Amino acid sequence: ESHTRNTAHTDITTVYLTESESREKQNKTMASALLRTATRTSFTPLGRVATASSSFSRVSFFSSGSHDDFAPKRKSIENDDEALKMIQEHIDSNKIMLYMKGNPSQPMCGFSARVVQILQNEGIDFSSVNVLDYPQIREGVKKFSEWPTIPQLYINGEFIGGCDIVTSMHESGELAEILAEEKKE
């Protein structure tokens, strides 16, 4: 069981709890029915994945007919400036940040799945945002990086690239070198 915690507390990144802590938190507050948006993935020595979710400060309900306590909650992003500010906070707060379609345990496109697989093969912890849940983040990250496609990988605040570049760097060993430096820190 992984005991990794993310110290970043931005609106759509996730606080990571152990499984028992997560259950305890859910039992304490029924109002925190969550929609998984940003995920930090930790790989244990046995290859198990540990993830969890957190609640957001401003929420919108997307339910019709269920009690509000059980409705999914999402951070509402009002405009492009707010999206760009949030992206900068994600990148500043997370050493390895992946903007992808889906989440690491269930990628929603082959390119995102490939980048997740590469990061898993490298054995590195990373944070991610499912851009399918946030259209303004999806468009904002393209403007932020001046790169037209998703997924996008950032390491130590620096835009690395999309699937093709990450794959090429992985095959050449360059990605392993960058990530080895990251593991030392």
Side-chain angles (χ1 to χ4, degrees):
E1 183 171 308
S2 174
H3 295 281
T4 301
R5 280 208 168 92
N6 180 1
T7 58
H9 297 288
T10 60
D11 289 330
I12 66 173
T13 55
T14 302
V15 175
Y16 302 93
L17 306 172
T18 64
E19 196 172 315
S20 61
E21 288 172 324
S22 179
R23 272 191 243 116
E24 182 179 318
K25 181 177 177 159
Q26 288 175 350
N27 290 337
K28 286 182 180 177
T29 43
M30 289 296 289
S32 63
L34 305 171
L35 178 64
R36 197 174 283 175
T37 58
T39 306
R40 182 169 175 88
T41 305
S42 297
F43 298 93
T44 65
L46 299 175
R48 292 180 294 171
V49 177
T51 60
S53 298
S54 71
S55 60
F56 309 120
S57 56
R58 291 185 287 171
V59 296
S60 301
F61 295 96
F62 296 94
S63 178
S64 60
S66 176
H67 189 276
D68 287 345
D69 286 347
F70 301 104
K73 299 171 186 176
R74 277 188 199 185
K75 168 78 171 86
S76 172
I77 301 169
E78 302 300 324
N79 57 47
D80 288 347
D81 290 338
E82 187 177 341
L84 293 173
K85 181 181 174 193
M86 189 175 290
I87 291 163
Q88 186 65 57
E89 288 174 5
H90 293 159
I91 293 167
D92 290 345
S93 300
N94 298 285
K95 291 185 178 201
I96 301 175
M97 186 72 208
L98 177 63
Y99 290 90
M100 62 180 292
K101 294 178 183 175
N103 59 57
S105 61
Q106 188 173 11
M108 300 300 284
C109 87
F111 299 114
S112 292
R114 178 69 180 133
V115 173
V116 167
Q117 179 184 28
I118 288 169
L119 293 173
Q120 288 173 345
N121 288 343
E122 296 289 346
I124 198 80
D125 292 348
F126 62 100
S127 297
S128 66
V129 171
N130 178 358
V131 298
L132 298 177
D133 286 340
Y134 296 93
Q136 289 200 293
I137 294 290
R138 182 179 185 171
E139 293 307 312
V141 76
K142 293 175 185 179
K143 290 177 187 173
F144 186 87
S145 64
E146 298 179 359
W147 190 260
T149 60
I150 305 290
Q152 293 188 11
L153 180 65
Y154 293 81
I155 299 176
N156 289 325
E158 182 182 341
F159 175 60
I160 300 300
C163 182
D164 291 344
I165 292 171
V166 171
T167 300
S168 175
M169 290 175 71
H170 173 67
E171 290 170 353
S172 72
E174 186 179 355
L175 184 63
E177 291 174 16
I178 294 170
L179 294 174
E181 291 174 20
E182 177 59 34
K183 286 180 185 179
K184 290 178 186 177
E185 293 177 10

